[in-house]
Amino acid sequence: MATRSVAIDTLLTRLAPVLGERLRTDAEALAKVGGDESGLPAGTAAAAAWPVSRDEVVALAREAFLLGVPLVPRGAGTGKAGACIPGAGEVVVDFSRMNRIRELRPDDLFAVVEPGVVNQTLDQAASEHGFMYPPDPGSFESCTLGGNVATNAGGMRAVKYGVTRRYVWGVELVLASGEILRLGRRSIKGVGGLDLTSLVVGSEGTLGFITEATLHIIPAPPAVETAWLTFADVLAASRAADRIFARGHVPRMMEVMDAPALAAIRPLAEVAFPERAGACLLIETDGPEGRALDDLLAIAELATDAGALESAIARKEKDREAMRRARRLVSSSLKERFARKIADDVAVPRSRMGELFARAAELALGRGIPWCAYGHLGDGNLHLNLLCTTEEERRRAEPVRRELLALTVALGGSISGEHGIGLAKRDVLTLELPRPLLALQEQVKAVLDPKGLMNPGKVFPPTKAA
Amino acid sequence: MATRSVAIDTLLTRLAPVLGERLRTDAEALAKVGGDESGLPAGTAAAAAWPVSRDEVVALAREAFLLGVPLVPRGAGTGKAGACIPGAGEVVVDFSRMNRIRELRPDDLFAVVEPGVVNQTLDQAASEHGFMYPPDPGSFESCTLGGNVATNAGGMRAVKYGVTRRYVWGVELVLASGEILRLGRRSIKGVGGLDLTSLVVGSEGTLGFITEATLHIIPAPPAVETAWLTFADVLAASRAADRIFARGHVPRMMEVMDAPALAAIRPLAEVAFPERAGACLLIETDGPEGRALDDLLAIAELATDAGALESAIARKEKDREAMRRARRLVSSSLKERFARKIADDVAVPRSRMGELFARAAELALGRGIPWCAYGHLGDGNLHLNLLCTTEEERRRAEPVRRELLALTVALGGSISGEHGIGLAKRDVLTLELPRPLLALQEQVKAVLDPKGLMNPGKVFPPTKAA
């Protein structure tokens, strides 16, 4: 282990009485909090803390502030942008032990949670009252709500229900200084002053620690129905989607998988997607009893008119779950086959989807790099993967990735639809945002974090001085 | 007219070549831009400008910045919080002449508008393509989208579609310095850096001039159905609403009117609400053909089970419009009868609605002040009116109003659900937000507006130094 700085040693000494064995510097502990799902190399923090209360977070922040020690908030480490990977000399604050649902108030349409509550845990708790928490990122079985808020997480149900931002009514934020801010509201509506709550959503840990969130829950529709439909290719699937939306249908899920994605999951999926399928749509509807199925049938008919080749509707909950599981297998199956794949989640205006596909294919295949696209078709948010197996292939693919991101911006889109910037896209964020705007954002950050101790080096490219 | 300051005279001289006759200081022009719908006394600006392009706004801001002249952005003046009422020595920038829809891209689900486009104009333009712009504040026939964004405007359809925030993908903001910021995205999803777009939404002109907005439009459901139902009182209506939502129905409108509200509109409305009704719900559903009516019938049945007394479903579009018009008559009819009424739009967690009603009635009637409540029941957002006819009555009612707002906060609610703070609630905002938080918000404002020239004195109580 590297020699620790005096600041860190002092911090450890001062915090030992507060955090006890929940403040650790051993290699095993540091390994646990070093990486995420970005594929980027893990980092080694100077120490890691597992607070169980806001007061502990405040105590830690205060001491770190005085000593100038940088801090990295962490949820379950399921992020895909490296936003929780620590640098040397930094202290990770892992919120997995702050995992209580403090209030669950279906009548008032909200829950108050600690940041370490797992996404699925809230959704399940809400479901016992006939409610749901809509945002469902791919990692919903393990990711935490604090992380969801910090990254403005999306998910498959976003096409109908929107992303995390729509569900965040308020947050309690502990600043780097230890100051506690209670932001937002507990009523459905409410305006008053600048909306700092929305500023915190998606800020990737750069403004402060989220120690509590007030999240909107909604009545769960009684019925959910699921189907898959196949198409000649992704463009045909996309055209069918447009037609469905144009007729006023709003499915709760509209996921696409291209041929390589289908090939990757076929050996594992419990669903037998036809071999000749060039693309597959996974569609879910929900609503009052009876309506969900009527809607799904109407959608299937529109899709068939628009060129769908085959379709299947799930009869039972276990079939529905098998279909969803098949879709969720894509990321891990690809990873298994292409260990060094580069995964981006770009978003474009929907009408540019065809151009994105054509030009991305040209770019990737022109350099002999196999690729794969799947994801949230209804949102214009696709996971584009460059399928690399070796480090050498990945190196060759990197410039293509950069061109793909530039292409996305040229098409009027965003370099990240939902994964965030973190470390992974920090150095390409200027493809999308001009430097003066980033500088202004940093000034806003500085109001809340004047010493620059909150998750330094994430989102914003380091300044020359750093 | 008061003597103008040297700064204003210099500004006028420098801007004359740019703005010509669209820069005025005559009493007639200043009267046009002095007031809003808050009931607060109008102000008299030093000058008023009607720019027709962003470049003119930039030119104006640059000169004003150099000279230290404060600026007040203005839409249609339909706001209810005095946020566009100018102070002496301030220059109003009226955006009504910047009223072009720059792009309308139904395929991509967005429109790009200048700030002076009227809300209804966008909705109608979208409807020609089978689309809609959901936020529909009461003044949708005249209010502008720039004002809607600046106030995060709500409306009747918010219960299903949410408020303005959900539809703002991006804004072009001209800072007080004249710097141009392009914030946000043109794709459905997109995360990248701090979300300054959301910070601008609801900022009431305190951060900069919105010179363009990229707004989300959605496919308009083919069918809309409308009905009214009566109840013994507002609480019975509220219980019916809970039951409807709990069964998974999401009406596009769920408006309540209490007995005084019904009494006020009866002479004018084309709808014959029964005399004995203690409260009325106005409900709209939408969706694919056939579905909307099925939904409305199912809702009416649930409401009847929950105690609805009478109901009527509109047969034709003209009947539907008559029902909506009846609801929209409430504010003006009350104003006609009670010229000095105090109108608040409080929001509370829905389960506290009963307590709000009981305690508000106690407060108001205990002091002999008649009151009225109507508005967005599904959102827990009510327009509470203290029905004063004279200035003397209004003075007597003011302390009651303050107690009502404090009660709202005590119940976990917000002092403004959708109207905003402006001047009207500036001095009571500390009932809801602690001073240190307001101070922090002001620091964030200072990043974008370092000289404090953007709409000074609005939202934030003036500092002692001022």
Side-chain angles (χ1 to χ4, degrees):
Chain A
M1 193 188 290
T3 318
R4 283 198 298 265
S5 71
V6 177
I8 293 288
D9 276 334
T10 311
L11 184 73
L12 292 171
T13 308
R14 291 186 185 169
L15 290 174
V18 179
L19 290 160
E21 295 194 342
R22 290 180 284 100
L23 178 63
R24 293 171 61 180
T25 57
D26 56 292
E28 191 193 338
L30 299 185
K32 276 185 191 163
V33 299
D36 70 354
E37 300 290 326
S38 62
L40 293 170
T44 305
W50 282 264
V52 295
S53 71
R54 181 194 66 193
D55 290 351
E56 289 186 357
V57 178
V58 169
L60 188 154
R62 276 195 190 139
E63 294 299 342
F65 190 74
L66 292 174
L67 296 161
V69 173
L71 302 169
V72 181
R74 181 183 178 88
T78 55
K80 300 211 173 218
C84 66
I85 295 178
E90 298 176 357
V91 174
V92 172
V93 182
D94 183 313
F95 283 93
S96 56
R97 303 274 294 264
M98 282 182 71
N99 60 356
R100 288 177 315 138
I101 296 175
R102 288 192 183 145
E103 295 183 50
L104 186 63
R105 290 171 50 177
D107 288 350
D108 289 328
L109 305 179
F110 72 80
V112 180
V113 301
E114 292 182 344
V117 171
V118 167
N119 176 294
Q120 186 178 39
T121 304
L122 174 61
D123 195 39
Q124 281 176 349
S127 77
E128 284 166 30
H129 300 265
F131 278 67
M132 71 189 283
Y133 176 68
D136 60 339
S139 53
F140 71 96
E141 292 162 313
S142 54
C143 65
T144 64
L145 292 164
N148 289 178
V149 173
T151 57
N152 188 22
M156 298 199 209
R157 302 196 288 218
V159 62
K160 176 166 184 175
Y161 293 106
V163 297
T164 300
R165 176 177 310 293
R166 193 189 291 180
Y167 298 90
V168 186
W169 284 3
V171 293
E172 181 185 77
L173 194 74
V174 173
L175 299 183
S177 64
E179 190 185 340
I180 301 161
L181 300 182
R182 295 195 64 89
L183 307 175
R185 58 197 156 85
R186 288 183 160 209
S187 45
I188 301 176
K189 287 204 232 167
V191 292
L194 297 181
D195 184 359
L196 298 186
T197 307
S198 287
L199 192 68
V200 171
V201 178
S203 62
E204 302 189 46
T206 63
L207 299 181
F209 294 107
I210 297 165
T211 49
E212 184 184 283
T214 302
L215 301 175
H216 183 31
I217 56 175
I218 64 172
V224 177
E225 299 287 346
T226 312
W228 58 256
L229 299 110
T230 59
F231 295 84
D233 56 31
V234 188
L235 288 178
S238 178
R239 281 192 300 269
D242 288 345
R243 193 146 167 181
I244 291 161
F245 288 113
R247 291 293 276 271
H249 292 282
V250 185
R252 63 137 55 173
M253 186 187 294
M254 171 77 84
E255 293 287 305
V256 70
M257 294 178 278
D258 71 357
L262 287 169
I265 61 170
R266 253 193 213 96
L268 296 158
E270 302 141 273
V271 179
F273 299 108
E275 287 288 337
R276 70 182 177 125
C280 175
L281 281 188
L282 189 67
I283 298 179
E284 266 189 19
T285 55
D286 63 13
E289 283 299 346
R291 292 292 157 72
L293 186 58
D294 287 355
D295 270 349
L296 190 63
L297 292 172
I299 284 173
E301 201 178 313
L302 286 170
T304 304
D305 291 349
L309 305 173
E310 300 101 349
S311 65
I313 292 181
R315 302 267 171 213
K316 297 175 186 164
E317 178 54 29
K318 87 173 172 43
D319 301 332
R320 278 191 283 281
E321 191 45 38
M323 288 186 185
R324 289 176 205 134
R325 236 186 341 255
R327 160 62 185 84
R328 290 201 297 268
L329 276 171
V330 178
S331 179
S332 57
S333 319
L334 285 174
K335 187 86 186 171
E336 207 143 299
R337 290 180 164 206
F338 308 97
R340 299 302 296 144
K341 78 183 171 89
I342 299 176
D344 277 305
D345 79 311
V346 302
V348 292
R350 290 206 309 200
S351 73
R352 312 307 289 272
M353 200 89 79
E355 210 172 333
L356 174 66
F357 272 109
R359 290 177 61 184
E362 207 177 287
L363 266 175
L365 303 179
R367 314 267 185 103
I369 300 163
W371 74 308
C372 169
Y374 65 98
H376 316 309
L377 182 65
D379 292 336
N381 178 199
L382 284 182
H383 301 312
L384 286 190
N385 283 238
L386 296 175
L387 303 174
C388 311
T389 48
T390 64
E391 205 50 43
E392 161 61 18
E393 282 177 14
R394 187 174 169 115
R395 256 194 307 277
R396 274 201 310 125
E398 276 295 352
V400 177
R401 181 230 187 181
R402 203 186 155 92
E403 285 178 65
L404 276 177
L405 296 179
L407 168 63
T408 306
V409 174
L411 293 174
S414 299
I415 62 170
S416 177
E418 56 183 26
H419 291 170
I421 304 304
L423 290 172
K425 288 182 175 167
R426 182 188 72 178
D427 299 320
V428 288
L429 185 52
T430 47
L431 290 173
E432 187 174 336
L433 302 184
R435 279 181 204 284
L437 179 55
L438 280 170
L440 192 84
Q441 291 189 5
E442 287 193 277
Q443 282 181 266
V444 171
K445 169 180 161 68
V447 171
L448 282 79
D449 176 26
K451 290 192 179 178
L453 299 177
M454 285 307 306
N455 217 6
K458 310 295 164 45
V459 182
F460 304 108
T463 49
K464 280 171 207 151
Chain B
M1 193 187 291
T3 320
R4 283 198 298 264
S5 71
V6 176
I8 294 287
D9 276 334
T10 311
L11 184 73
L12 293 170
T13 308
R14 289 187 185 167
L15 290 174
V18 180
L19 290 159
E21 296 192 343
R22 290 180 285 99
L23 178 64
R24 292 171 61 180
T25 57
D26 56 293
E28 191 193 337
L30 299 185
K32 276 185 191 162
V33 300
D36 70 355
E37 300 290 326
S38 61
L40 293 170
T44 305
W50 282 264
V52 295
S53 71
R54 180 194 68 193
D55 290 351
E56 289 186 358
V57 178
V58 169
L60 188 156
R62 276 195 190 140
E63 295 298 343
F65 189 74
L66 293 174
L67 295 161
V69 173
L71 302 169
V72 181
R74 180 183 179 87
T78 54
K80 300 213 174 218
C84 66
I85 295 178
E90 299 177 356
V91 174
V92 172
V93 183
D94 182 314
F95 283 94
S96 55
R97 303 274 294 266
M98 283 181 71
N99 60 356
R100 288 177 315 138
I101 296 176
R102 288 192 182 144
E103 296 183 49
L104 186 62
R105 289 170 50 176
D107 288 350
D108 290 328
L109 305 178
F110 71 80
V112 180
V113 300
E114 292 183 345
V117 172
V118 168
N119 176 293
Q120 186 178 37
T121 305
L122 174 61
D123 195 38
Q124 281 177 349
S127 77
E128 284 166 30
H129 300 265
F131 278 66
M132 72 189 283
Y133 176 67
D136 62 339
S139 54
F140 71 95
E141 292 162 314
S142 54
C143 65
T144 63
L145 292 164
N148 290 178
V149 173
T151 57
N152 188 21
M156 299 200 209
R157 302 196 289 218
V159 61
K160 175 166 185 176
Y161 293 107
V163 297
T164 300
R165 176 178 310 294
R166 193 188 291 179
Y167 298 89
V168 186
W169 284 3
V171 292
E172 181 183 77
L173 193 75
V174 173
L175 299 183
S177 63
E179 191 185 338
I180 300 161
L181 299 182
R182 294 195 64 89
L183 307 174
R185 59 198 156 85
R186 289 184 159 207
S187 46
I188 301 175
K189 287 205 235 168
V191 293
L194 298 181
D195 184 359
L196 298 186
T197 307
S198 287
L199 192 68
V200 171
V201 178
S203 62
E204 302 189 46
T206 63
L207 300 182
F209 294 106
I210 297 165
T211 49
E212 183 185 283
T214 303
L215 301 176
H216 183 31
I217 55 175
I218 64 173
V224 176
E225 298 288 347
T226 312
W228 57 257
L229 299 109
T230 59
F231 296 84
D233 55 31
V234 189
L235 289 178
S238 178
R239 282 191 300 269
D242 289 345
R243 192 146 167 182
I244 291 160
F245 288 114
R247 292 291 278 272
H249 292 283
V250 185
R252 65 136 58 173
M253 187 188 293
M254 170 79 83
E255 293 287 304
V256 71
M257 294 178 278
D258 71 357
L262 287 169
I265 62 171
R266 254 193 212 99
L268 297 158
E270 302 141 274
V271 179
F273 299 109
E275 286 289 337
R276 69 179 178 126
C280 175
L281 281 188
L282 189 66
I283 299 179
E284 267 189 19
T285 55
D286 63 15
E289 283 300 345
R291 291 292 157 72
L293 185 59
D294 288 355
D295 269 350
L296 190 63
L297 292 171
I299 285 173
E301 201 178 314
L302 287 169
T304 304
D305 292 349
L309 305 173
E310 299 101 350
S311 65
I313 293 182
R315 301 270 170 212
K316 296 174 185 162
E317 178 55 27
K318 88 172 173 42
D319 302 331
R320 277 191 282 282
E321 192 45 37
M323 288 187 185
R324 288 175 207 135
R325 235 184 344 252
R327 159 65 185 85
R328 291 201 296 267
L329 277 171
V330 179
S331 179
S332 57
S333 323
L334 285 173
K335 187 86 185 169
E336 207 142 300
R337 289 180 165 209
F338 307 97
R340 300 301 296 142
K341 78 182 171 91
I342 300 177
D344 277 306
D345 78 311
V346 303
V348 292
R350 291 207 307 201
S351 72
R352 312 307 288 272
M353 200 91 78
E355 210 171 334
L356 174 66
F357 272 109
R359 292 177 61 184
E362 208 177 286
L363 266 175
L365 304 179
R367 316 267 185 101
I369 299 163
W371 74 308
C372 170
Y374 65 97
H376 316 308
L377 183 64
D379 292 335
N381 177 200
L382 285 182
H383 301 311
L384 287 189
N385 284 237
L386 297 175
L387 303 174
C388 311
T389 48
T390 64
E391 204 50 44
E392 162 60 19
E393 281 178 15
R394 187 173 169 117
R395 258 194 307 277
R396 274 200 309 124
E398 276 295 351
V400 178
R401 181 231 188 180
R402 203 186 155 92
E403 284 177 64
L404 276 177
L405 295 179
L407 168 64
T408 306
V409 173
L411 293 174
S414 298
I415 62 170
S416 177
E418 56 182 26
H419 291 168
I421 304 305
L423 290 172
K425 289 183 174 166
R426 183 189 71 178
D427 299 319
V428 288
L429 185 52
T430 47
L431 290 173
E432 186 174 336
L433 302 182
R435 278 181 204 283
L437 179 54
L438 280 171
L440 193 84
Q441 291 188 6
E442 287 194 278
Q443 283 182 267
V444 171
K445 170 180 162 66
V447 171
L448 282 78
D449 177 27
K451 290 193 180 178
L453 299 177
M454 285 306 306
N455 217 4
K458 310 296 165 44
V459 183
F460 305 107
T463 49
K464 279 170 209 155

